[in-house]
């Protein structure tokens, strides 16, 4: 599954801010619950966590991190796109 933030900081002062999305709410209405959620690289071929350990870090604008307490709550910065592997269970 891929999630993306549509606004940049320059587009709109109201919408061009980091947002949090609870992935589980996207599936509840169709009778599914999230069993597991794993962030992948944009192409989906490796876990983002292990890729980050080997990447070259550039001096980039970084938004302050906010503690996320839910396993299904995802933070998206302006214009950021993330890919997830989602395991679902029908209830």
């Amino acid at each position: 599954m891929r999630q993306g933030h549509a606004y940049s900081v320059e587009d709109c002062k109201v919408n061009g801010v980091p947002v949090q999305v609870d992935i589980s709410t996207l599936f509840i209405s169709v009778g599914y619950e999230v069993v597991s959620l794993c962030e992948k690289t944009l192409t989906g071929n490796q876990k983002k966590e292990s890729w980050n350990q080997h990447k070259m870090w550039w001096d980039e604008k970084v938004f302050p991190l906010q503690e996320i307490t839910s396993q299904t709550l995802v933070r998206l910065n302006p214009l950021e796109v993330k890919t997830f592997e989602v395991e679902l269970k029908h209830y």
Side-chain angles (χ1 to χ4, degrees), residues 16-30:
V17 296
V19 296
Q20 292 184 355
V21 178
D22 190 345
I23 301 296
S24 66
T25 61
L26 303 174
F27 298 103
I28 289 173
S29 63
V30 290

Side-chain angles (χ1 to χ4, degrees), residues 1 6 13 15 22 28 30 46 51 80 84:
M1 177 181 119
K13 298 294 181 201
N15 295 323
D22 190 345
I28 289 173
V30 290
Q46 42 187 319
W51 181 80
E80 187 173 41
F84 299 93

Side-chain angles (χ1 to χ4, degrees), residues 36-53:
S36 68
L37 181 71
C38 177
E39 185 175 358
K40 306 288 251 179
T41 57
L42 194 57
T43 56
N45 66 348
Q46 42 187 319
K47 290 182 179 181
K48 182 76 181 255
E49 185 179 310
S50 62
W51 181 80
N52 273 338
Q53 294 173 354

Side-chain angles (χ1 to χ4, degrees), residues 53-64:
Q53 294 173 354
H54 303 290
K55 79 176 234 177
M56 183 175 191
W57 291 91
W58 299 95
D59 186 25
E60 56 191 43
K61 182 178 182 180
V62 177
F63 290 91

